[in-house]
Amino acid sequence: MTKALFFDIDGTLVSFKTHRIPSSTIEALETAHAKGLKIFIATGRPKAIINNLSELQDRNLIDGYITMNGAYCFVGEQVIYKSAIPQEEVKAMAAFCEKKGVPCIFVEEHHISVCQPDDMVKKIFYDFLHVDVIPTISFEEATSKEIIQMTPFITEEEEKEICPSIPTCEIGRWYPAFADITAKGDTKQKGIDEIIRYFDIKLEETMSFGDGGNDISMLRHAAIGVAMGQAKEDVKAAADYVTAPIDEDGISKAMKHFGII
């Protein structure tokens, strides 16, 4: 029996087209929560830029959060897991981005900052994702802090180039223009393990929903993994079930399919 539902945010709960949570999704989550199911967020976003879940938060529908792709998990005010990137690898990424002339976002436990922002940061984070303007700092300042996640605006080719310099890091993508980097082992799969340990829920009682490359680990790990209909083929291949796209009531349809609602 399913007791815990894990949801990615962008492209899964929140539409890239409307920047809203479909009303059918809100209704489905309300019904599931009223039946006693736990609802968890599993996102690449850090807490500081989770700005699009008020319709769920105002209804007290969220029981806990996996953020920064599993590197920082919390329930209420209690942090149940956090893991920093080794300092030498933060420095290696900073030097690489500075040399390439590309932006990099650095995320600490309570702060987020960006080095050498450009039009792409504005286009994606400010105009598209509606994130508040992120403070700009120098690479030197960024590398002096404890960093939990880095988001360099690098291509997949550049990712291969930097890989040998960050051997104990995980690299994931949910948007083509940038990568999310955490310490090795910090994935949404790890986040699920930390959450279910805290709540004493069994893995066979879990279901996860996602649409991006950084969701693959949790779609494979949860007892039932549901890919959104608009996801790429590698994401769909990792899932147990492919539902309709987000804008065609995909979450509600999947939850009905599995008898959750």
Side-chain angles (χ1 to χ4, degrees):
M1 192 175 84
T2 302
K3 291 184 179 177
L5 307 173
F6 292 84
F7 295 94
D8 168 57
I9 296 178
D10 299 285
T12 301
L13 282 178
V14 178
S15 167
F16 280 124
K17 291 179 184 174
T18 65
H19 302 288
R20 297 289 300 274
I21 303 170
S23 58
S24 63
T25 298
I26 296 169
E27 289 165 20
L29 268 58
E30 279 187 307
T31 301
H33 209 243
K35 287 172 69 175
L37 278 79
K38 298 285 188 188
I39 293 171
F40 302 104
I41 299 303
T43 181
R45 291 187 184 226
K47 184 180 182 180
I49 62 167
I50 295 176
N51 60 357
N52 50 4
L53 298 180
S54 60
E55 289 166 302
L56 303 182
Q57 291 162 331
D58 292 347
R59 291 169 168 83
N60 294 314
L61 292 178
I62 301 171
D63 295 291
Y65 294 79
I66 298 165
T67 68
M68 303 191 218
N69 293 301
Y72 194 82
C73 306
F74 60 93
V75 175
E77 296 301 314
Q78 185 176 356
V79 178
I80 63 170
Y81 178 78
K82 73 167 182 170
S83 167
I85 298 168
Q87 205 70 16
E88 285 309 306
E89 299 189 29
V90 174
K91 289 177 180 175
M93 179 56 74
F96 183 80
C97 290
E98 190 166 24
K99 179 184 170 187
K100 293 281 184 182
V102 297
C104 187
I105 294 170
F106 292 91
V107 188
E108 304 161 64
E109 183 170 8
H110 300 296
H111 300 284
I112 181 170
S113 43
V114 61
C115 297
Q116 56 189 27
D118 63 5
D119 283 346
M120 192 61 80
V121 173
K122 178 183 182 297
K123 180 182 169 186
I124 297 169
F125 276 76
Y126 306 156
D127 299 343
F128 184 54
L129 298 176
H130 303 299
V131 169
D132 290 337
V133 175
I134 301 167
T136 300
I137 61 171
S138 67
F139 281 108
E140 186 179 7
E141 193 180 345
T143 55
S144 70
K145 302 172 184 295
E146 183 186 63
I147 301 299
I148 298 176
Q149 180 169 276
M150 304 182 287
T151 301
F153 283 66
I154 56 175
T155 63
E156 290 189 28
E157 285 305 310
E158 288 168 331
E159 182 185 310
K160 289 172 190 165
E161 205 179 322
I162 186 62
C163 243
S165 302
I166 51 169
T168 67
C169 282
E170 293 279 351
I171 304 176
R173 284 180 185 265
W174 57 273
Y175 198 85
F178 55 80
D180 279 339
I181 296 172
T182 52
K184 201 75 169 176
D186 291 336
T187 63
K188 293 186 181 185
Q189 171 179 334
K190 171 69 173 171
I192 286 179
D193 286 341
E194 294 298 330
I195 289 281
I196 64 175
R197 182 181 296 122
Y198 180 86
F199 283 93
D200 195 25
I201 293 167
K202 297 181 178 70
L203 187 61
E204 54 265 33
E205 297 169 331
T206 62
M207 185 182 294
S208 65
F209 299 75
D211 73 303
N214 62 341
D215 297 318
I216 287 174
S217 71
M218 75 165 180
L219 292 176
R220 287 179 175 153
H221 191 55
I224 300 170
V226 178
M228 305 305 289
Q230 80 282 356
K232 288 184 178 177
E233 290 308 311
D234 59 337
V235 180
K236 291 178 179 177
D240 300 291
Y241 181 75
V242 178
T243 188
I246 179 173
D247 295 299
E248 296 171 27
D249 305 320
I251 286 178
S252 176
K253 286 175 179 173
M255 288 169 70
K256 284 173 183 170
H257 172 82
F258 286 103
I260 302 292
I261 59 171

